[in-house]
Amino acid sequence: MTETNPIIVATDVHKWYDSFHVLQGVNLTVERQEVVVLMGPSGSGKSTFIRTLNALEDYQQGQIVIDGMALSQDLGNIESIRREVGMVFQQFNLFPHLTVLQNITLAPIWVRRWPRAKAEEVAMQLLEQVDILEQAQKYPGQLSGGQQQRVAIARALAMQPKIMLFDEPTSALDPEMVKEVLVVMRSLAKSGMTMVVVTHEVGFAREVANRILLMDQGTVVEEAAPEQFFQNPQEERTKLFLSQIL
């Protein structure tokens, strides 16, 4: 066995909402520069689980270690981990009263303590990377959904995270806008960014993922490389799920 140095290790993670056992012993190990896709039906625990990886959701049992740091209730520890983990949501969560440039520079200036000039230089580079440089001085309400989601990706990248989490980033978009966001995500994956992605975009999962996990009822039902996952699933639950989305 070759030695590995995983950047995410989640072990036997459990979470309850009152009496509802939403995560039932989830395990996940992600290597550096790996792209892992989580798939599964609505209510399977995918979004809840991915949100535990940067403490947006707490968990009651098990352990999560991010880049060697155990995720605990300690606020300093949580802040340290969040600085290393970028997240992109279904909804764009941009500040409507700030320009695109101001949305992207806010966290680097206040959290990373960067000078404004450096933050703006990095922001403009990122806007060029996501192909909306010309939108820098506009407000979110002046942009399409696809453009807003690309701003959200640039905003997350501005903190220079080691890990990017995506929680169904295209589900709120019109179909013609999905492609432009997936292009950015593909480019990010090819650059070597470690990514955990909750999505139903089969084409993206086939092309970009190193591994795909199917979640159902708070557990990981199956885990495989894309070719095996789609062509030769082992579990009946996976076969049923794929029959409904393919």
Side-chain angles (χ1 to χ4, degrees):
M1 289 286 289
T2 57
E3 285 191 29
T4 62
N5 182 22
I7 196 166
I8 300 173
V9 181
T11 308
D12 193 32
V13 175
H14 291 257
K15 178 177 177 60
W16 286 263
Y17 289 124
D18 297 323
S19 61
F20 178 49
H21 196 177
V22 61
L23 297 178
Q24 302 184 29
V26 177
N27 295 289
L28 174 67
T29 299
V30 180
E31 301 295 335
R32 292 167 199 278
Q33 301 190 333
E34 190 175 20
V35 178
V36 174
V37 166
L38 306 181
M39 304 188 88
S42 296
S44 60
K46 309 181 301 296
S47 291
T48 300
F49 176 63
I50 201 173
R51 290 166 68 92
T52 66
L53 299 179
N54 67 347
L56 287 175
E57 295 275 1
D58 60 1
Y59 60 98
Q60 285 77 48
Q61 186 178 319
Q63 185 181 54
I64 295 173
V65 178
I66 305 292
D67 196 24
M69 292 183 285
L71 187 53
S72 66
Q73 297 301 315
D74 180 88
L75 289 178
N77 177 280
I78 289 172
E79 288 304 313
S80 296
I81 286 174
R82 283 186 179 159
R83 280 196 290 270
E84 308 300 338
V85 182
M87 184 146 191
V88 178
F89 303 88
Q90 296 179 39
Q91 304 299 330
F92 321 122
N93 294 342
L94 301 173
F95 293 109
H97 63 291
L98 300 180
T99 65
V100 165
L101 187 62
Q102 289 169 333
N103 265 281
I104 296 171
T105 58
L106 192 65
I109 289 170
W110 287 96
V111 179
R112 293 283 193 197
R113 305 292 184 189
W114 287 1
R116 183 174 301 278
K118 177 183 178 180
E120 290 185 350
E121 180 183 357
V122 170
M124 296 300 277
Q125 291 170 353
L126 289 168
L127 285 172
E128 186 171 18
Q129 182 180 330
V130 301
D131 200 25
I132 47 171
L133 183 59
E134 71 283 358
Q135 311 295 346
Q137 300 304 328
K138 291 186 179 178
Y139 291 88
Q142 297 174 286
L143 306 182
S144 70
Q147 289 171 330
Q148 289 187 62
Q149 192 61 294
R150 284 185 280 164
V151 173
I153 293 172
R155 179 182 58 182
L157 291 173
M159 288 291 286
Q160 300 186 332
K162 296 178 180 177
I163 300 164
M164 284 286 286
L165 308 177
F166 293 86
D167 186 8
E168 299 197 36
T170 60
S171 65
L173 299 177
D174 293 333
E176 65 269 22
M177 296 177 185
V178 169
K179 182 179 177 182
E180 61 193 52
V181 173
L182 292 180
V183 164
V184 172
M185 292 173 64
R186 284 186 179 96
S187 173
L188 197 55
K190 288 175 183 172
S191 76
M193 176 63 74
T194 305
M195 297 165 61
V196 182
V197 184
V198 175
T199 186
H200 292 299
E201 297 292 339
V202 172
F204 173 85
R206 283 184 192 273
E207 179 187 343
V208 179
N210 297 106
R211 280 182 295 140
I212 301 174
L213 279 65
L214 181 78
M215 289 188 66
D216 188 36
Q217 297 183 353
T219 64
V220 175
V221 175
E222 184 156 355
E223 176 180 342
E227 186 174 352
Q228 179 176 329
F229 184 86
F230 290 111
Q231 301 298 331
N232 187 28
Q234 301 299 299
E235 302 294 331
E236 290 302 318
R237 183 66 187 91
T238 310
K239 294 174 185 176
L240 175 61
F241 174 75
L242 292 175
S243 73
Q244 294 170 335
I245 68 166
L246 294 178

